[in-house]
Amino acid sequence: MQLYHHPLDLDSQRVRISLEEEGVDYTSHHVNPITGKNLDSSFFKMNRRGRVPVFQNGSHIIYNTIDIIQYIERIAVVSSGADSISTSNREVIEWMQRIQDWDPKFFTLAHIPEKYRVYVSKFIRQVVIARMSESPELAGDYHRKLREAYETEEKLKEADVLRRSKEHLVRLLDEVERQLCETPFLAGQDFTMADVMLIPVLARLKLLDLENEYITGRPNIAEYWLLVQQRPSYKRVIGKYFNGWRKHKTLLKTWFLVRIRSLLKRY
């Protein structure tokens, strides 16, 4: 089984946590969207959207995060030798979908200093153009990615885009806060795939230095956040890259690669 992902990507984190929690072995392939590795023709032919994560088991390829997680659950149950397959119940799936409905893209980009965001955006556009020239048979799909890049920059200029994303996040966190008042985990007494979906959201807020604004003021979420950070899956998937000084190392390494390739015009 092959997983194409990157530590900075929120959905990739969800899939990797589920793999760790279920104890499923896989081969890891880092595909960094910030440096344009998701636009390499070898990956782009597999997923014309150019997005991670992508999960491959033989000829079976899955792109949707929730579908991947549910597939991993089924693999874990079958591997355990259980007579019947028991995966996430309806409540868990509803929470998973509710969390997935919040798109972190514009919220995240809006909290990155403009000079860095614009620099990376220009770099990505140059990468798309270079790949389009190298693989003319994929020109239509690359052109769509180029248009998406321009549209993203335009939308970030609209105050309503960030406002709607922020309001959606606040509603979600308020709902989570109410639920955690009743149960220790999101869908009951036990850790489930609903928690797998939520943990990277909280980690993203911490990465953006927004923990005080969105987590600390919600006591149930704050207590929950301390609890889930102790899980081995969190430490391997997120803590390994973002706890303490590792956060700066991960981000600086990516920024350095983008700068060098831009200066050398090696797109």
Side-chain angles (χ1 to χ4, degrees), residues 194-211:
D195 301 290
V196 167
M197 294 293 291
L198 178 62
I199 289 171
V201 174
L202 303 180
R204 177 59 55 87
L205 294 172
K206 181 179 180 180
L207 178 64
L208 295 172
D209 293 324
L210 296 171
E211 193 171 3

Side-chain angles (χ1 to χ4, degrees), residues 45-174:
K45 287 176 182 176
M46 182 170 55
N47 180 7
R48 300 296 177 91
R49 298 181 307 162
R51 298 177 184 173
V52 289
V54 173
F55 187 80
Q56 182 177 14
N57 187 10
S59 61
H60 191 46
I61 301 175
I62 314 174
Y63 311 106
N64 178 274
T65 300
I66 292 179
D67 290 345
I68 295 173
I69 290 174
Q70 291 180 312
Y71 185 79
I72 291 166
E73 281 190 293
R74 292 193 292 272
I75 290 174
V77 172
V78 171
S79 299
S80 70
D83 293 331
S84 60
I85 294 179
S86 176
T87 54
S88 294
N89 61 36
R90 182 176 177 180
E91 182 183 3
V92 172
I93 293 172
E94 286 177 353
W95 268 112
M96 291 172 70
Q97 189 59 61
R98 208 172 299 156
I99 296 166
Q100 182 73 2
D101 285 344
W102 179 67
D103 186 349
K105 178 180 178 180
F106 293 110
F107 182 88
T108 300
L109 290 173
H111 287 89
I112 295 173
E114 185 177 5
K115 65 176 182 178
Y116 298 120
R117 190 187 75 230
V118 171
Y119 192 95
V120 171
S121 178
K122 289 180 178 178
F123 170 78
I124 292 298
R125 294 199 295 270
Q126 290 296 326
V127 172
V128 175
I129 293 169
R131 298 297 171 272
M132 194 184 304
S133 175
E134 294 169 359
S135 304
E137 73 278 11
L138 300 173
D141 294 299
Y142 280 125
H143 182 72
R144 175 176 49 79
K145 290 297 293 183
L146 188 61
R147 186 171 63 249
E148 286 179 7
Y150 281 110
E151 289 174 352
T152 296
E153 283 302 310
E154 289 303 312
K155 286 183 179 179
L156 283 168
K157 297 175 184 177
E158 301 175 18
D160 281 349
V161 171
L162 176 58
R163 178 183 57 79
R164 287 193 298 269
S165 181
K166 182 176 179 178
E167 288 175 351
H168 191 166
L169 173 63
V170 168
R171 288 195 302 272
L172 173 62
L173 292 177
D174 286 345

